[in-house]
Amino acid sequence: AQRVTQPEKLLSVFKGAPVELKCNYSYSGSPELFWYVQYSRQRLQLLLRHISRESIKGFTADLNKGETSFHLKKPFAQEEDSAMYYCALWSGGYNKLIFGAGTRLAVHP
Amino acid sequence: DVKVTQSSRYLVKRTGEKVFLECVQDMDHENMFWYRQDPGLGLRLIYFSYDVKMKEKGDIPEGYSVSREKKERFSLILESASTNQTSMYLCASRIGGALTGELFFGEGSRLTVL
């Protein structure tokens, strides 16, 4: 079964602390994975995708096929990073994006 | 700039009412999607559409139907609203045939069914 698991509902850190939002997936085949972010009162938007291997707003995510993980990391959290983060898996065969339950990141001053 | 617009940000309806949620995109995208967003459950796919007049059931289609008469517009219909359909509804679009799964989302429609 195709599935995305985000084990943490809430991650609370202080400004300047490292952040790691966990994501594990289940998919037979070569996965295409994304992180989406939703800031307060804003629409859900793409943060980054594993294919691009890019760093957006200081966030990076590495696909680990052995551990079937795609954790999102940032070395120094900022208050403006506070948001809801969703890990997502593109199921090309079914033409749909499968989301995890989401993790709320709260960065305190 | 990519734009997906949902006509109603907030709706309050009574049990048994028929509800229409409208979504319009201005990007000439072939694919459109309706998700519902619930705390602790993430986003769950209700229906999607490959192209005009085409539709496919998602993971939770029960109690919903959709209409795609024009490429830019994708409507979600609740034939007889129930309290368990109180939720945030998100519309999204995507370039058809693209290799990437990147979706563009609307701002959402928060529906409360009393």
Side-chain angles (χ1 to χ4, degrees), chain A residues 22-92:
Chain A
K22 291 184 167 50
C23 172
N24 289 89
Y25 67 90
S26 173
Y27 186 72
S28 57
S30 188
E32 185 182 352
L33 288 153
F34 302 81
W35 278 98
Y36 279 78
V37 61
Q38 189 170 31
Y39 301 102
S40 179
R41 297 190 183 87
Q42 294 187 27
R43 68 185 69 204
L44 192 62
Q45 59 187 285
L46 178 67
L47 179 62
L48 55 80
R49 70 194 84 186
H50 90 271
I51 292 175
S52 303
R53 300 186 65 82
E54 57 200 343
S55 174
I56 303 293
K57 300 184 179 183
F59 284 98
T60 59
D62 290 318
L63 176 61
N64 185 322
K65 291 187 178 181
E67 296 183 357
T68 60
S69 68
F70 187 56
H71 303 329
L72 184 67
K73 300 177 183 179
K74 185 170 183 177
F76 307 103
Q78 303 299 313
E79 289 180 68
E80 55 265 30
D81 296 329
S82 295
M84 193 73 181
Y85 291 81
Y86 292 96
C87 182
L89 167 70
W90 176 249
S91 175

Side-chain angles (χ1 to χ4, degrees), chain B residues 30-100:
Chain B
E30 287 80 8
N31 301 166
M32 295 188 74
F33 305 81
W34 276 106
Y35 285 87
R36 65 176 282 177
Q37 182 183 30
D38 298 289
L41 296 176
L43 278 75
R44 292 177 292 167
L45 183 63
I46 304 171
Y47 267 97
F48 61 102
S49 170
Y50 290 110
D51 209 330
V52 178
K53 295 191 185 296
M54 299 177 73
K55 58 185 179 183
E56 293 284 340
K57 292 181 179 180
D59 299 314
I60 52 164
E62 297 78 19
Y64 304 94
S65 62
V66 290
S67 173
R68 185 114 181 256
E69 295 297 317
K70 293 185 177 181
K71 191 174 187 179
E72 67 270 19
R73 188 179 299 270
F74 192 35
S75 303
L76 180 68
I77 303 155
L78 288 67
E79 294 290 341
S80 177
S82 62
T83 54
N84 61 13
Q85 293 178 309
T86 292
S87 186
M88 173 69 87
Y89 291 88
L90 299 182
C91 175
S93 72
R94 172 183 173 267
I95 298 172
L99 296 178
T100 176

